[in-house]
Amino acid sequence: MMYLELDGQGPRYAQLTRGLKQAILSGRVAAHSRLPATRVLARDLDLSRNTVLAAYEQLAAEGFIEGRVGSGCYVAAIGAMQAPQAAKTLPRSGAARVPLSRRGERIRELWDRRIPGREHIGLRYNLQYGMPMTNPQLASAWRRELAHAAAHAQTDYPEPQGLLALREQICDYLARRRGILAAPDDVLIVSGAQQAFTLAAELLLDEGDRVLLEDPHYQGERQIMQASGAEIVGCRVDENGIVTADLPTQGRTKLALVTPSHQFPSGAVLSLSRRMELLAWAAKTGCWIIEDDYDGEFRYDARPLAALKSLDRDSRVLYFGTFSKVLFPSLRLGYIVLPPSLRDSFIGAKWLTDRGCPAIEQAALARLMADGAFERHLRAAAKSLKARRATLLAALRKYAGDEVEVADSSAGMHVLAWLTRLKPTQARQLVSRASERGLGLYLIAPYFLKSSARPGLLLGFADLPAADLQAAMRILGECLREM
């Protein structure tokens, strides 16, 4: 009787195939030995004969066994492949860590210590920042445009730079709403902001180059720069955005990443004087600036400010825009407005990476923008978000009172609430206690390069209705009083 252990993964014939391969490669079943007849093995393993036949056929096709007329199936002579240690090369869960390239090792380390928070998914009141508001009208319009685009889709590979119709709509939108004058040739469609950061790191950085980040900042951008082997330096942020007086003057900074319209996560808006100082510094030092305009559309006390890119006279700014925050994250589409000197290189890198973004989604989005549905959604979303923000702030004052200090900001989809009494260790305990009551809270601490002595919470409000926001703040207040 042959002893085989099936792994329980996938169809039974595939499990048997893997089990027999392991037995052959480990030497437990020697070359030239005869395998049990299909009926016998089926009986011994409580499998159907067809399952065993399918496994034998697969092994024969791959050269592990060979049939002999009138005699049965025998293990093939596979030479150096057959050794007691060979079975270790087969994939299995919990396998030993294999050596990777330097970049691969950095990526693996970043994955191992990624930000916690996914454990909050599924909680009744999850105050996750960055999640856009649910809009049933938008969903209906998107399904309609997607169906139309699919019915009229080109079957060839998409243009690596992106669909011309979408790039034209983006240029029109940016000119009217963000003050950026760009031609369609300046725009590159990418698979969200993360791909935009990745392309920039690949093209603009060598290992050891210096990258400047706002401190605090979006950790996703930091991780990409760390994966590239860059030297990361921080520049502090105050109520007027990045402090330009602290910009490095010694050595060359290759790349600076900023969020001038709504600093993440503090919410500060970069003042005009500092915008001009930042641009002058970049022109003088030869530094490239990435302007991440992740949610600059949502400003509640005035019209959205013109982008930093609109002031750039020396072509040092790469403007990143995304549709994830204004539509939905599952739509992996964003764009870069490129300086002319970088245009061909970025298009070439995009082509090498994935040959271009999905054409059907691009066509649907272009039509959504062309017929006005996109901007109607933005107006409706801004109105609703303003009301939800007001509800959150009122409930925060009512239930948390002096326990929190809200950072001054009138934009975006989250509020930064500093904890006035708690120490950092107590703040972590607060998050755990709130989670037990169905409330997902997020600390600001992971977004600093160095540990922040002042604990704070990022309170996302876009994805919860007013009643849920009030209930969430009541739970937060209760948890604070118990600390």
Side-chain angles (χ1 to χ4, degrees):
M1 179 177 178
M2 177 178 290
Y3 175 75
L4 289 173
E5 182 179 353
L6 305 187
D7 58 24
Q9 303 295 315
R12 301 295 292 276
Y13 86 89
Q15 296 180 46
L16 179 57
T17 302
R18 288 193 293 272
L20 287 168
K21 281 183 184 179
Q22 291 176 1
I24 293 170
L25 290 172
S26 66
R28 288 194 293 116
V29 180
H32 308 297
S33 61
R34 185 176 184 273
L35 293 180
T38 55
R39 291 184 187 276
V40 173
L41 189 57
R43 182 196 63 213
D44 290 347
L45 299 180
D46 194 23
L47 299 171
S48 73
R49 183 168 179 249
N50 285 339
T51 296
V52 179
L53 281 169
Y56 278 17
E57 289 172 359
Q58 182 65 34
L59 290 169
E62 295 183 22
F64 282 88
I65 65 175
E66 52 192 22
R68 299 178 186 174
V69 178
S71 182
C73 293
Y74 291 79
V75 176
I78 55 178
M81 287 180 59
Q82 188 169 12
Q85 299 300 315
K88 294 183 179 180
T89 64
L90 290 177
R92 61 179 67 182
S93 60
R97 293 164 73 93
V98 298
L100 303 174
S101 67
R102 287 197 299 270
R103 176 177 170 81
E105 292 290 353
R106 290 192 293 265
I107 291 173
R108 180 159 60 188
E109 181 183 356
L110 289 166
W111 172 254
D112 287 344
R113 52 187 177 85
R114 58 195 180 277
I115 295 180
R118 292 195 64 83
E119 65 272 16
H120 292 339
I121 294 176
L123 294 183
R124 178 68 180 85
Y125 308 108
N126 185 10
L127 299 179
Q128 183 175 354
Y129 47 91
M131 290 298 294
M133 185 188 72
T134 302
N135 182 348
Q137 289 75 27
L138 172 66
S140 297
W142 178 248
R143 283 194 296 270
R144 182 179 63 250
E145 299 300 355
L146 202 57
H148 181 276
H152 297 83
Q154 299 270 336
T155 56
D156 199 359
Y157 284 102
E159 172 65 32
Q161 188 172 358
L163 193 69
L164 177 60
L166 178 57
R167 290 185 280 123
E168 289 173 340
Q169 290 299 322
I170 289 171
C171 289
D172 177 68
Y173 166 78
L174 292 176
R176 290 182 294 102
R177 304 285 295 222
R178 310 300 291 128
I180 297 175
L181 300 180
D185 283 348
D186 299 324
V187 177
L188 172 65
I189 306 299
V190 292
S191 299
Q194 289 299 113
Q195 185 178 55
F197 286 120
T198 300
L199 292 175
E202 289 177 350
L203 288 168
L204 302 179
L205 298 176
D206 289 315
E207 193 166 326
D209 282 345
R210 181 195 295 169
V211 173
L212 182 137
L213 303 181
E214 299 167 320
D215 203 20
H217 52 266
Y218 169 52
Q219 198 183 49
E221 67 187 27
R222 184 211 308 173
Q223 292 167 332
I224 290 173
M225 301 304 147
Q226 288 174 322
S228 73
E231 174 198 357
I232 307 296
V233 298
C235 189
R236 67 187 176 96
V237 169
D238 64 15
E239 64 276 8
N240 292 312
I242 188 171
V243 180
T244 49
D246 291 352
L247 292 171
T249 56
Q250 301 298 318
R252 186 185 176 192
T253 302
K254 275 288 205 61
L255 191 59
L257 282 61
V258 296
T259 50
S261 295
H262 182 229
Q263 202 280 328
F264 184 86
S266 75
V269 176
L270 189 62
S271 66
L272 178 59
S273 61
R274 289 190 181 178
R275 290 176 186 234
M276 302 309 296
E277 290 166 0
L278 178 62
L279 290 171
W281 171 80
K284 179 180 179 181
T285 63
C287 179
W288 295 107
I289 295 176
I290 289 178
E291 177 180 11
D292 181 13
D293 198 12
Y294 66 101
D295 68 355
E297 272 295 342
F298 298 128
R299 186 173 173 87
Y300 309 119
D301 63 350
R303 287 180 56 84
L305 297 176
L308 179 70
K309 176 71 174 176
S310 68
L311 302 172
D312 180 25
R313 298 294 176 264
D314 297 291
S315 296
R316 304 307 304 175
V317 177
L318 294 78
Y319 177 89
F320 289 6
T322 178
F323 294 102
S324 296
K325 299 295 186 293
V326 295
L327 293 176
F328 31 84
S330 59
L331 178 63
R332 302 308 302 153
L333 286 178
Y335 56 91
I336 311 175
V337 180
L338 292 159
S341 59
L342 296 178
R343 187 168 56 208
D344 289 346
S345 298
F346 270 75
I347 295 171
K350 171 66 176 174
W351 172 75
L352 283 174
T353 300
D354 59 13
R355 294 300 194 263
C357 293
I360 293 176
E361 285 85 347
Q362 290 188 68
L365 182 54
R367 281 178 54 88
L368 194 76
M369 298 180 77
D371 67 13
F374 175 70
E375 292 193 43
R376 286 194 297 272
H377 162 70
L378 289 183
R379 289 191 293 270
K383 182 178 179 180
S384 179
L385 288 172
K386 181 177 181 179
R388 293 184 184 190
R389 179 177 179 275
T391 297
L392 176 73
L393 293 176
L396 197 57
R397 287 191 297 268
K398 178 179 179 180
Y399 294 111
D402 294 339
E403 294 278 359
V404 300
E405 177 187 330
V406 177
D408 184 22
S409 175
S410 57
M413 298 184 290
H414 72 271
V415 165
L416 170 57
W418 296 107
L419 299 171
T420 57
R421 181 175 57 86
L422 301 187
K423 297 178 180 178
T425 54
Q426 293 174 304
R428 292 191 290 271
Q429 295 169 3
L430 173 68
V431 172
S432 298
R433 180 169 297 186
S435 179
E436 293 171 356
R437 301 186 187 185
L439 174 61
L441 297 177
Y442 297 84
L443 295 172
I444 193 175
Y447 300 93
F448 282 90
L449 277 176
K450 298 179 180 178
S451 298
S452 172
R454 191 181 189 192
L457 298 172
L458 300 183
L459 306 175
F461 56 82
D463 199 35
L464 292 177
D468 285 359
L469 290 171
Q470 290 175 338
M473 293 304 97
R474 176 180 54 78
I475 296 173
L476 174 59
E478 292 171 354
C479 292
L480 282 168
R481 287 191 294 273
E482 295 170 3
M483 297 297 296

